[in-house]
Amino acid sequence: HHGPVPAPLVLLLPPRHDAQIQCSDIPAGITEKSNPLTRNIDRASADCIVRTLQACDAQMFQEQTEASHQKLLSDQVVKTLMEVAKRVELILKDPQDSLVVLSGCGTSGRLAFLMATSFNRELRKLNRSLVYSYIIAGGDRALLSSQEAPEDDPKSGTLSLKKVCEGKKQVLFIGISCGLSAPFVAGQLDFCLQHPEVYTPVVLGFNPAHQAKDEPIPGCTFTFHSVVQRMQELSKSQVAFLINPTVGPEAISGSSRMKGGSATKILLDVVLSAAHAAAFTNTPVTYEGILQHMRAYDKTLDITYAQTEGITALVEAAGRSLRCGSHVCYLGWGSLAVLGLIDASECDPTFGADYEDVRGFMSGGYRNLSNNEGPLTSLGPQFCISHEDFLRSVLPYLSDQDTILLIFTRSDDVTEVAKLARRVREKTSNLHAVYHHTDGDTAAAEQGDISNLCLSTLNVTWPTPASRSFLLMQWELSTKLLLNAVSTGAHILKGKVYRNHMIDVQVTNSKLYRRATRLLQKLSGHPESKCEEALLRAIYRVDKLTLDITSSDMTAHTLTARKRTKVVPLALVVLLTGCALSEAESHLDQQPIVREAVEAWLS
Ligand code: F6P
């Protein structure tokens, strides 16, 4: 017995409300804005989703039109990249007591990890001392799972920086925050500014400086904005650097894992490879060199999206799997596997997904991951990432409903790929592959076998490059774009997105709390105070806010929200209908597809 059936929500709505139209005036940086290109992406076919994502990604390389909005290829950006590359070069040439630290939260920290380990690998090949370290808010568990609360903690940012830099005399610190917003990174930058004899700070993000977050950080006298202002002043004498081109709003509003992450990778790959070439192959850092390298990444986008049909097939397959509660697994080799792990890790906070919905696995597991803290398997099943783990805990339960994607290149052990493909094929025919190779490669015999086993194969052919390491970086970016399209597209098809908003966003840190409040304002048309009140009611599950709640701070709110589901959808129903919380809950239970639920209420 389920109790009385609640009346359809539409009946509870006030007769008229035009919430959808008011809104563009709610202040937020470009990285949080709604992208006009994707306003209807929630209603699009898989093919159209892929083309729309392509158009969004293309905005990364658009030319500068507004004076205050530098773009990737703007003169000032290229010049700053040169200067930073030269600093890295100096450290590479005289590595004793020096370090280059890359740090960030969420995907920004994961990409810091990817690049620090890849460039250290290059150094190891050359028998040089390793100069790169990474820091990710929340520690290594955040490489594979969402840990948003540490993002708000400037002290832990500073502590972790001090720890990796112990005994160093020269540190080039690169703090990544796409939104120029994470207090964790602000704390680190502030610490660098206080110790200029050792630290040279670089901030990397995708908003104009004046849009850096100016919200007070509890216990601190600075904001991200004030730190950026100081750095701007110091950048004139090149003791601090700002790399902050704009790349347009994200396809899913605020989802900085997408373009923010891609642009982070492009910029740092360019800087670090220019520095390596200068230090080890006598190729000085030049303006033209940097510019050319950046343009080559524009080509990477073209080559990747030339595969629209293949990507569409993958989005459709993954969407079908997610819609029926089945799973999507990425089985990867080498660094491309890391991009699978990264893409999967973001589905939870972005789409409120379960860790089993989209999962990544890496050949060799932690043996090949080279993370600071070593194997994390003891933390739980979510941290089991090797192909053996896949064979043991996932393969036995696979069916045709699950989508499996092999991700590999001509440089990987194709015999091993074929072997795994055969094992998967015994359980499901829903097997697909992404295969990167160059036009100069002769196909391995097993490649044909693998294609025969797969429902679809994305064969990405790349022109033979000047350097192998550049080729790998292109494959990495291309894989990132492909997987972002697959997981974003699949969740859109599942109905997790309303227009271009992730409406079921988890409210687990200050940035997400503010994003949620703005979204409620936008969709309900109610003022900020009323929206925040509804948000708190949904977080604490009460109809009336107590003094206890209203006097608690943001940390308390976000900690409580961590234990809840559907906070924002609930708050929205409450705002639109004025009904009690329990009533809103039962309405939502009846219509679990959030997009359809919201549309029913708004129509
Ligand atoms: O809070 C989670 C998150 O939004 C991730 O999705 C994102 O990768 C991370 O924060 C970092 O954001 P930023 O680079 O803007 O600091």
Side-chain angles (χ1 to χ4, degrees):
H1 179 68
H2 296 290
V5 179
L9 264 165
V10 202
L11 299 179
L12 298 171
L13 279 175
R16 200 193 91 90
H17 67 92
D18 34 23
Q20 295 119 304
I21 5 176
Q22 357 184 318
C23 37
S24 38
D25 47 356
I26 304 163
I30 293 179
T31 55
E32 289 284 323
K33 284 215 157 24
S34 156
N35 194 322
L37 294 177
T38 56
R39 293 236 160 103
N40 296 314
I41 201 165
D42 60 336
R43 312 219 127 271
S45 62
D47 172 63
C48 181
I49 290 173
V50 175
R51 286 175 201 280
T52 310
L53 294 179
Q54 172 176 18
C56 274
D57 279 336
Q59 290 179 327
M60 284 197 281
F61 286 96
Q62 267 167 14
E63 285 186 14
Q64 181 165 354
T65 49
E66 273 179 72
S68 66
H69 295 189
Q70 300 170 23
K71 304 290 295 181
L72 278 188
L73 302 176
S74 294
D75 185 57
Q76 191 50 52
V77 173
V78 176
K79 283 184 178 148
T80 311
L81 296 180
M82 276 178 75
E83 290 312 318
V84 177
K86 286 183 195 161
R87 298 302 170 102
V88 178
E89 177 192 354
L90 290 179
I91 293 182
L92 289 170
K93 285 180 167 160
D94 185 10
Q96 179 116 36
D97 300 325
S98 296
L99 209 55
V100 178
V101 180
L102 311 179
S103 173
C105 309
T107 287
S108 300
R110 295 176 193 120
L111 291 168
F113 156 76
L114 174 70
M115 285 179 281
T117 48
S118 318
F119 282 92
N120 272 342
R121 202 168 295 129
E122 289 290 312
L123 292 176
R124 203 174 287 121
K125 274 193 222 150
L126 299 168
N127 241 333
R128 304 273 175 166
S129 358
L130 310 185
V131 304
Y132 300 103
S133 283
Y134 71 89
I135 298 174
I136 179 164
D140 273 3
R141 63 170 65 217
L143 292 174
L144 304 166
S145 66
S146 78
Q147 307 287 330
E148 282 107 3
E151 208 167 306
D152 275 345
D153 187 349
K155 297 226 168 44
S156 98
T158 315
L159 278 178
S160 51
L161 178 59
K162 277 198 225 167
K163 200 165 151 221
V164 298
C165 298
E166 227 174 87
K168 300 294 174 192
K169 300 207 169 75
Q170 269 316 310
V171 175
L172 184 70
F173 172 77
I174 304 181
I176 311 161
S177 179
C178 297
L180 297 182
S181 60
F184 183 88
V185 175
Q188 296 174 322
L189 292 167
D190 176 71
F191 176 77
C192 293
L193 292 173
Q194 288 177 39
H195 300 89
E197 63 300 342
V198 175
Y199 295 89
T200 306
V202 181
V203 65
L204 179 61
F206 303 99
N207 280 323
H210 69 270
Q211 287 180 354
K213 196 171 171 192
D214 208 13
E215 186 171 313
I217 305 172
C220 296
T221 52
F222 54 83
T223 65
F224 209 114
H225 186 264
S226 74
V227 171
V228 166
Q229 272 186 324
R230 271 185 284 158
M231 288 182 67
Q232 238 177 343
E233 207 36 53
L234 292 167
S235 68
K236 292 176 191 151
S237 48
Q238 305 209 328
V239 288
F241 298 95
L242 265 82
I243 307 175
N244 63 325
T246 59
V247 291
E250 296 290 351
I252 303 300
S253 310
S255 182
S256 56
R257 74 184 192 119
M258 301 185 79
K259 279 196 276 191
S262 302
T264 297
K265 180 159 164 50
I266 292 171
L267 290 165
L268 292 182
D269 276 350
V270 167
V271 166
L272 302 183
S273 26
H276 279 235
F280 307 131
T281 59
N282 237 336
T283 322
V285 177
T286 63
Y287 188 94
E288 259 319 300
I290 298 265
L291 197 60
Q292 250 182 33
H293 194 170
M294 299 273 277
R295 291 221 175 94
Y297 278 109
D298 196 4
K299 268 246 137 2
T300 309
L301 266 63
D302 292 343
I303 294 178
T304 305
Y305 281 111
Q307 304 276 340
T308 316
E309 248 174 72
I311 307 174
T312 302
L314 292 178
V315 170
E316 270 166 356
R320 265 194 304 273
S321 294
L322 293 188
R323 259 203 308 250
C324 67
S326 296
H327 311 296
V328 177
C329 288
Y330 305 142
L331 300 177
W333 279 260
S335 62
L336 300 195
V338 180
L339 290 150
L341 295 171
I342 293 178
D343 185 82
S345 73
E346 277 286 336
C347 291
D348 161 15
T350 316
F351 302 108
D354 190 84
Y355 83 90
E356 287 184 301
D357 293 355
V358 181
R359 267 184 98 168
F361 294 94
M362 174 172 191
S363 168
Y366 290 98
R367 261 184 294 122
N368 292 340
L369 194 66
S370 323
N371 57 315
N372 289 338
E373 297 168 30
L376 303 174
T377 32
S378 62
L379 294 177
Q382 184 175 5
F383 297 89
C384 296
I385 55 162
S386 69
H387 288 177
E388 287 76 22
D389 292 322
F390 166 80
L391 291 172
R392 182 178 45 78
S393 66
V394 180
L395 186 83
Y397 311 102
L398 285 183
S399 77
D400 281 342
Q401 250 97 57
D402 302 296
T403 301
I404 309 295
L405 180 58
L406 306 166
I407 306 160
F408 63 107
T409 76
R410 182 66 179 87
S411 318
D412 297 308
D413 182 348
V414 186
T415 316
E416 203 195 294
V417 181
K419 208 165 123 197
L420 190 61
R422 279 190 288 271
R423 302 245 352 230
V424 173
R425 195 62 179 71
E426 284 164 20
K427 302 291 292 188
T428 172
S429 59
N430 198 357
L431 175 65
H432 306 259
V434 173
Y435 173 57
H436 295 281
H437 59 109
T438 65
D439 48 14
D441 287 330
T442 46
E446 291 89 346
Q447 181 46 41
D449 299 345
I450 299 171
S451 294
N452 288 337
L453 292 168
C454 289
L455 267 188
S456 78
T457 303
L458 243 153
N459 240 315
V460 201
T461 312
W462 299 82
T464 311
S467 95
R468 257 345 253 191
S469 58
F470 176 53
L471 183 65
L472 182 60
M473 288 178 234
Q474 284 186 295
W475 287 350
E476 288 171 353
L477 179 64
S478 173
T479 304
K480 179 184 181 295
L481 300 174
L482 288 169
L483 298 184
N484 284 171
V486 170
S487 57
T488 303
H491 279 102
I492 293 172
L493 294 176
K494 190 182 178 183
K496 284 289 189 174
V497 171
Y498 174 67
R499 298 186 168 202
N500 53 11
H501 298 285
M502 176 44 224
I503 189 154
D504 201 3
V505 62
Q506 294 190 359
V507 193
T508 40
N509 67 30
S510 60
K511 174 177 78 179
L512 301 172
Y513 185 94
R514 294 282 169 237
R515 185 182 298 164
T517 314
R518 270 198 312 273
L519 186 56
L520 290 171
Q521 279 177 266
K522 176 169 181 165
L523 297 179
S524 75
H526 287 297
E528 185 180 357
S529 59
K530 192 149 187 221
C531 293
E532 201 171 337
E533 183 195 315
L535 186 65
L536 287 174
R537 282 174 60 195
I539 290 175
Y540 290 95
R541 297 291 207 261
V542 291
D543 277 315
K544 208 167 158 33
L545 295 182
T546 60
L547 188 63
D548 229 19
I549 296 174
T550 48
S551 57
S552 297
D553 61 5
M554 174 82 77
T555 315
H557 301 332
T558 53
L559 279 175
T560 309
R562 217 186 149 73
K563 297 176 235 145
R564 306 277 190 243
T565 55
K566 296 206 179 147
V567 169
V568 183
L570 267 177
L572 183 62
V573 180
V574 165
L575 279 168
L576 290 179
T577 65
C579 72
L581 212 75
S582 53
E583 217 175 325
E585 274 187 282
S586 64
H587 282 297
L588 266 184
D589 284 345
Q590 297 212 320
Q591 181 49 280
I593 298 184
V594 183
R595 181 185 86 191
E596 283 170 22
V598 174
E599 270 166 4
W601 307 322
L602 288 177
S603 62

